[in-house]
Amino acid sequence: MARRVAVIGAGVSGLSSIKCCLDEDLEPTCFERSNDIGGLWKFTEMSKDGMTRVYKSLVTNVCKEMSCYSDFPFQEDYPNFMNQGKFWYYLQEFAEHFDLLKYIRFRTTVCSVTKRPDFSESGQWDVVTETEGKQERAVFDAVMVCTGHFLNPHLPLESFPGIHNFTGQILHSQEYRSPEGFQGKRVLVIGLGNTGGDVAVELSRTAAQVLLSTRTGAWVICRSSEWGYPYNMVVTRRCLNFIAQVLPSCVLNWIQEKKMNKRFNHEHYGLSITKGARKIIVNDELPTCILCGTVTMKTSVKEFTETSAVFEDGTVEENIDTVIFATGYTFSFPFLEEPLKSLCTKKIFLYKQVFPSNLERATLAIIGLISLKGSILAGTELQARWATRVFKGLCKIPPTQKLMAKATKKEQLIKRGVMKDITKDKLEYIPYMDDLAACIGTKPSVPILFLKDPRLAWEVFFGPCTPYQYRLLGPGKWDGARNAILTQWDRTLKPLKTRTIPDSTKPSCMSHYLKLGGVPILLASLLLIYKSSLFLKLVRDHLQVRISPYLISIW
């Protein structure tokens, strides 16, 4: 059984990994190359250490109730969506509350992580670190890699002919901190992700003109939904997930697209997305900026000249001062040895996105290397809870031969075009979380809850799937989970109640769900077959056959 665990990185996933080790009576040692916790959420004016940092104006895309550690809710007066400083302070509160800081070695870089000669028997690792020029070697029973997605800026200059002749400023969004210095300039932002949209909107207030170039377009959603409730809390519900399992994907996509176009027509705004793509970004202001002309949407760039950009549609924009590449990041594991290093970069070879398939002993876990339609923080915490129990031998995973054979077969089918590489898509939040929770023994059973605690069951099934749900039972059960679920709307509304209104009545939990589109009472009768995947498959296939021709005919 593993005892000593090396945790690489003290960001969001590193902090939860330390705590999960302690919860399982393991001995964590965390190595953090900077001088503080928080990873990319620790703002600095410059990025001299090469680490990716948030820009100063960043605001979270997932609301506080959906993006907290499952046994440590945000304070009730915290805003639902926080700026960088507020969120980092929450991480600091978490670390101090659970006394995690004493397990972290700051200003320490991990140089190498290699298997010991007897790895097939012991599962142990040699970890070499460097602190202020001095190297140390230590043996660990397990390793948790918590370095995340945002390691190396992806700057694809070779894909843009003439870029080396461009005389203006070129930078990656990693280098962007604030709009200061861009006053009166014409700025081209390449890439329409969350970062590209945020940077374009912020620069539109100071720059002379902002051009936003995209190849695929994107669906743009707001942080608030109907009646002003946080969008995440409205859409991330078990009842809706149940419906999604029954309805064919073509019907779901059609419904979602109609809903997203209801706020504004994406085609009119130059944001219409390439057919078949499901790219979604969160931005409250981009449509308004396009409407006001401070941001101009453009197609992909064909080539650059010394001072201008030529676009695929034949248009030319002259006198460009700055080009900002919001083209994402690549991840790597420079401290691992081959072939493990290459294999870990292929998500298809990571069992449930966590354990490398080629290791005889499951003593290395990749925590936080996920794209999730929901809170990454909540996802990484559940990954860490599962991984630490695997280290202890309390949870089992399939043998490496079986995992490698399955992953290799999938890889071949993807190369032949028979199967889609779903690892490039964002994972569905509730199915992925439930999958991990089932491995641990913490997945809530809605039918049993309805028998034992109807009020709680109602909130769990019809309400938002907040992280507290995975602390109701099983290993790591938290006594405060039930109350946290029953009071989640109180904490949501609390920071909004800054002005007392006479005769204002407090809405009941029931009214929340009525306002959010009505209570699907019919679903209650389907709870008995909730776990019947065969039934769901038969219904889905039947509806696909019946509905698809009709949809095709009306399109």
Side-chain angles (χ1 to χ4, degrees), residues 30-34 105-110 129-132:
C30 179
F31 302 106
E32 168 56 46
R33 61 173 172 165
S34 71
R105 291 178 55 184
F106 293 106
R107 297 187 181 87
T108 300
T109 302
V110 175
T129 59
E130 183 175 314
T131 307
E132 297 179 351

Side-chain angles (χ1 to χ4, degrees), residues 194 197-198 201 220-223 263 281-287:
N194 284 311
D198 284 349
V201 165
V220 182
I221 61 176
C222 286
R223 290 178 174 84
R263 181 189 168 210
I281 68 169
V282 179
N283 199 301
D284 301 302
E285 301 178 64
L286 181 58

